[in-house]
Amino acid sequence: MEQDNSEDDSVGPTEDDTQPPFPLGLTDSEAVEVLWQVRTQRRQADPDLPDTVTRLTTPEGSIVYLVGTAHFSDSSKNDVATTIRAVQPDVVVVELCQYRVSMLKMDEKTLLKEAKDINLEKVQQAIKQNGVMSGLMQILLLKVSAHITEQLGMAPGGEFREAFKEAGKVPFCKFHLGDRPIPVTFKRAIAALSLWQKARLAWGLCFLSDPISKEDVEKCKQKDLLEQTMSEMIGEFPALHRTIVAERDIYLTHTLRQAARCVEAPPNAEKVAAVVVGVVGMGHVPGIEKNWDKELNIHEIMSVAPPSRLGWVVRNVLKGAMWGLLGYACFRASKGVGRALLSLPTVQSLFENIRTPSN
């Protein structure tokens, strides 16, 4: 199903002390017109923007300023703030979905703790939300994020929080979540990999331990380095690149184009070209540029295949192994307790289900 984030995944602007005071005694329509004029005056016609910003246009004359970022970068936060302040956009679109929106309102200290703390509850939640294979893969990717967080002492997504804060200072600015829902991405990614590729990817993520510096992160903002890294990734896991990067390029392009539709200007609701700021990882910028003028099929990249028989087997084997280990531990501690546990109807039913798959 196509999801229109320009309608469903928008977040209203926050109040801010920097909003200009306006004269007393104005009607609502007059106040709206004054604020519109204030924003127009603040908007720079030919802004001097960072090198990480790409300018895209629509046939209607709308402008999209695409800020390419590194997700663990202070300078990316500065690039985002500079761009939003300069162009005073109608809409800000970020590379987040509704499943990750909580990071916008959490403070850096809490996020840092959350990123490092991967516990059983998080594993269970990921599996419940995405299924066994996709959930475990999500936990492995969280482990990678936690590794970077620990190395840098910095929580991810600072540029998105900066965008949310700055958007709240711009009159009438809407805030949209532009990314494909993460459960869809994970399920499509896992489905695209062979069993051997899944094992290789999981092994690589489990034993990731290379040190990462802030200089390494900043290099991720260089397009040539990103293209080289993506080329290496395509060679290793082409299906993974397609689902995690290329398909999301298409989805982000779609939501950015939706956000760039003309807006209504007071006092007569005249349709005028929109100004949009998009905040995405630098790795998505080339794909968005490539897809900008193409016809896009969003339905195709939103479909998720039903669970395979292999997935059913793996899920039940994992459940059986977990219960078996627990039973064995209890058996070792007390043979009577172990036998009692293994005789429980729930445990017996589980093993019966493993032996006889349901239709």
Side-chain angles (χ1 to χ4, degrees):
M1 179 185 297
E2 179 177 349
Q3 293 191 5
D4 183 356
N5 284 359
S6 64
E7 298 294 339
D8 298 332
D9 290 339
S10 61
V11 180
T14 58
E15 293 183 1
D16 192 273
D17 293 338
T18 61
Q19 294 284 14
F22 40 85
L24 298 175
L26 295 180
T27 64
D28 288 347
S29 59
E30 289 172 338
V32 166
E33 192 170 354
V34 168
L35 282 174
W36 188 275
Q37 292 171 355
V38 167
R39 189 184 66 174
T40 302
Q41 291 169 2
R42 289 179 177 177
R43 182 177 287 169
Q44 298 177 22
D46 187 20
D48 183 17
L49 300 176
D51 294 337
T52 54
V53 178
T54 300
R55 188 177 183 272
L56 302 170
T57 58
T58 71
E60 295 79 19
S62 296
I63 302 174
V64 175
Y65 295 95
L66 194 61
V67 187
T69 69
H71 294 317
F72 290 82
S73 169
D74 279 330
S75 65
S76 285
K77 291 163 62 176
N78 295 333
D79 291 350
V80 169
T82 297
T83 303
I84 292 176
R85 290 170 188 171
V87 306
Q88 296 287 295
D90 298 287
V91 185
V92 171
V93 180
V94 296
E95 183 199 330
L96 288 176
C97 68
Q98 64 267 38
Y99 294 92
R100 293 175 288 158
V101 71
S102 59
M103 73 160 54
L104 293 174
K105 296 183 179 180
M106 294 173 68
D107 61 80
E108 195 82 7
K109 185 177 179 181
T110 303
L111 279 167
L112 198 59
K113 181 177 180 297
E114 286 287 319
K116 292 180 180 179
D117 183 24
I118 299 177
N119 52 36
L120 181 60
E121 183 181 351
K122 286 186 178 178
V123 174
Q124 292 173 332
Q125 183 180 0
I127 291 175
K128 182 178 180 181
Q129 180 176 293
N130 301 303
V132 175
M133 294 301 296
S134 299
L136 292 176
M137 193 60 66
Q138 180 179 353
I139 291 300
L140 290 174
L141 291 173
L142 281 175
K143 178 182 179 297
V144 175
S145 178
H147 171 67
I148 300 173
T149 298
E150 188 174 6
Q151 293 278 317
L152 300 178
M154 180 188 302
E159 74 273 33
F160 303 138
R161 291 186 292 281
E162 192 71 19
F164 184 66
K165 181 179 74 175
E166 291 295 330
K169 301 176 183 179
V170 180
F172 308 109
C173 183
K174 296 180 180 178
F175 191 91
H176 289 183
L177 307 175
D179 203 359
R180 182 172 66 178
I182 196 167
V184 176
T185 296
F186 275 122
K187 288 175 182 177
R188 286 183 62 85
I190 292 300
L193 295 176
S194 66
L195 184 60
W196 173 241
Q197 288 175 322
K198 292 171 187 174
R200 287 174 58 202
L201 178 62
W203 179 268
L205 293 175
C206 280
F207 293 96
L208 178 72
S209 59
D210 294 338
I212 299 171
S213 67
K214 291 188 178 182
E215 288 73 23
D216 293 330
V217 174
E218 292 305 317
K219 287 178 183 177
C220 288
K221 293 168 64 179
Q222 301 174 14
K223 291 186 180 181
D224 54 348
L225 178 64
L226 255 298
E227 290 172 1
Q228 177 184 345
T229 304
M230 289 300 174
S231 297
E232 294 172 358
M233 186 179 175
I234 290 171
E236 192 73 11
F237 299 105
L240 198 64
H241 176 271
R242 184 182 71 251
T243 52
I244 291 183
V245 181
E247 289 183 359
R248 289 172 62 222
D249 290 345
I250 293 172
Y251 195 92
L252 288 163
T253 304
H254 168 72
T255 53
L256 285 164
R257 294 200 314 209
Q258 291 289 311
R261 292 178 297 188
C262 290
V263 297
E264 295 181 350
N268 301 318
E270 178 187 359
K271 293 284 187 179
V272 297
V275 173
V276 177
V277 171
V279 182
V280 302
M282 182 59 77
H284 290 292
V285 173
I288 292 172
E289 288 186 278
K290 177 183 176 182
N291 291 310
W292 189 247
D293 296 317
K294 292 183 178 180
E295 291 289 331
L296 304 177
N297 186 346
I298 300 302
H299 294 283
E300 182 180 344
I301 63 170
M302 289 299 292
S303 61
V304 178
S308 64
R309 183 175 178 81
L310 175 62
W312 180 91
V313 171
V314 170
R315 180 172 66 253
N316 283 283
V317 166
L318 286 172
K319 286 181 180 178
M322 184 170 60
W323 280 104
L325 287 172
L326 181 58
Y328 179 72
C330 292
F331 184 83
R332 293 282 295 179
S334 171
K335 292 184 180 180
V337 175
R339 283 194 293 269
L341 177 64
L342 293 173
S343 67
L344 287 174
T346 303
V347 178
Q348 292 180 350
S349 174
L350 173 65
F351 286 120
E352 183 65 27
N353 286 337
I354 292 174
R355 288 196 296 268
T356 308
S358 59
N359 292 329

